[in-house]
Amino acid sequence: MLLCGTGSGRAEVSFNLSTGLINMATPARNHVWVGTETGILKGINLVKKQANNYTEVSSLTRDQEVNVMCFGDPQETEVLLGCRDGTVRVFNTEKAKFTEFHECRGGEGVFRGIGVLDNAIVTCVESGLLKLWKEGSTENVEVQVGPKVEKMRLCDTQRHKVATGGKENDLKIWDLQRPEEPIFRAKNVMNDWLDLRVPIWIRDLDFIPDSDKVVTCTSYHQVRIYDPCSPKRRPVLETVFDEDPLTALSVTPDGR
């Protein structure tokens, strides 16, 4: 399942289910939006402890599995769902129905990230194809960010900045205004105490507010913070958390 919290007021609580997470916010009709493997979009009211389905169950197929979600505008009146079949569905939270369907097929594998830049949709799939889909344009920006991508995320404050990472695909930060090369390319940490190379497997990442820093979490239960201003290009802070893979993270507005 994927979770998407609503509201511009900031969160007291956050939720984590399997592949993705966005902070919960102040009370509204639905506080959390959930996308499921069966393709259902659910709206959850945490005050009333109610969940409502907004998808016609009888018409669902396995190809409509929701892989990624994001809000489509700052007012959070739209929720974008990236589905296994390569389509992006747009749900209007005010009208309580799906209003748009976009064909965003390209590359191999499922969506690993989705976002909105101006009036264009930004997607990235597992094979590493990051693409900017402009309505009515035949010259969409395409960037190859490397294979086995696990996560692509847009920066909330500088929407043209995008971070990517995955299995043996270390953190990269891109500027979609000049996407020929990443503006930051992380360097792996030093070899371990046996002088063996440390494997890389980023599962999620996020931009830290009011800074240029990016935080990642890994399948090897590491949490790392990178500062693009650091000439060493290695993490400026690293900690190991528990013993299980870390599959999702979210940064609070105050940078925690």
Side-chain angles (χ1 to χ4, degrees):
M1 288 186 180
L2 296 176
L3 287 177
C4 202
T6 68
S8 56
R10 281 325 206 177
E12 297 280 334
V13 181
S14 62
F15 291 83
N16 178 350
L17 286 181
S18 149
T19 54
L21 164 156
I22 300 178
N23 286 335
M24 190 198 81
T26 53
R29 181 182 176 189
N30 286 310
H31 307 96
V32 178
W33 294 96
V34 180
T36 72
E37 290 183 351
T38 55
I40 295 173
L41 176 67
K42 294 176 179 283
I44 300 175
N45 186 306
L46 296 174
V47 176
K48 297 180 180 180
K49 298 182 180 179
Q50 292 179 344
N52 296 309
N53 288 351
Y54 291 93
T55 308
E56 179 57 50
V57 178
S58 61
S59 64
L60 289 176
T61 66
R62 189 67 174 83
D63 288 341
Q64 290 177 293
E65 173 188 345
V66 180
N67 299 126
V68 291
M69 295 173 64
C70 76
F71 288 114
D73 60 340
Q75 294 74 37
E76 298 171 357
T77 62
E78 292 182 339
V79 179
L80 274 66
L81 286 69
C83 302
R84 176 175 286 274
D85 62 1
T87 63
V88 175
R89 296 185 285 162
V90 181
F91 181 82
N92 188 297
T93 60
E94 294 181 335
K95 298 178 181 179
K97 65 179 182 179
F98 288 95
T99 56
E100 298 177 38
F101 296 84
H102 301 273
E103 295 279 349
C104 296
R105 293 185 174 91
E108 299 293 332
V110 299
F111 289 120
R112 293 302 194 187
I114 188 172
V116 176
L117 176 61
D118 298 326
N119 293 319
I121 296 173
V122 182
T123 63
C124 185
V125 294
E126 190 175 3
S127 65
L129 179 65
L130 187 155
K131 191 165 182 177
L132 188 69
W133 304 84
K134 295 182 180 179
E135 190 72 28
S137 174
T138 58
E139 298 182 358
N140 296 312
V141 174
E142 293 187 4
V143 184
Q144 182 52 245
V145 302
K148 299 182 180 179
V149 173
E150 292 281 353
K151 187 65 178 183
M152 180 278 291
R153 193 188 295 267
L154 273 67
C155 178
D156 284 337
T157 55
Q158 302 178 64
R159 302 297 291 177
H160 59 282
K161 290 176 68 173
V162 175
T164 61
K167 187 174 184 179
E168 295 305 328
N169 187 346
D170 216 341
L171 173 68
K172 300 183 188 75
I173 302 176
W174 306 80
D175 184 345
L176 294 181
Q177 295 177 339
R178 42 188 179 91
E180 295 79 13
E181 290 290 334
I183 57 177
F184 175 79
R185 189 191 300 267
K187 189 175 182 179
N188 198 8
V189 297
M190 302 290 288
N191 290 354
D192 65 15
W193 65 283
L194 292 173
D195 199 29
L196 297 176
R197 177 185 176 275
V198 177
I200 298 167
W201 195 345
I202 293 174
R203 296 297 296 273
D204 202 357
L205 52 85
D206 203 355
F207 290 87
I208 297 177
D210 302 320
S211 75
D212 293 323
K213 299 181 178 70
V214 174
V215 59
T216 69
C217 67
T218 76
S219 276
Y220 304 113
H221 46 95
Q222 303 143 331
V223 177
R224 294 170 170 170
I225 294 179
Y226 293 84
D227 185 349
C229 297
S230 172
K232 294 184 177 181
R233 296 188 287 129
R234 292 189 168 105
V236 296
L237 180 66
E238 178 178 5
T239 186
V240 176
F241 181 80
D242 211 346
E243 298 180 353
D244 297 315
L246 302 177
T247 60
L249 65 82
S250 182
V251 179
T252 63
D254 58 358
R256 293 183 291 169

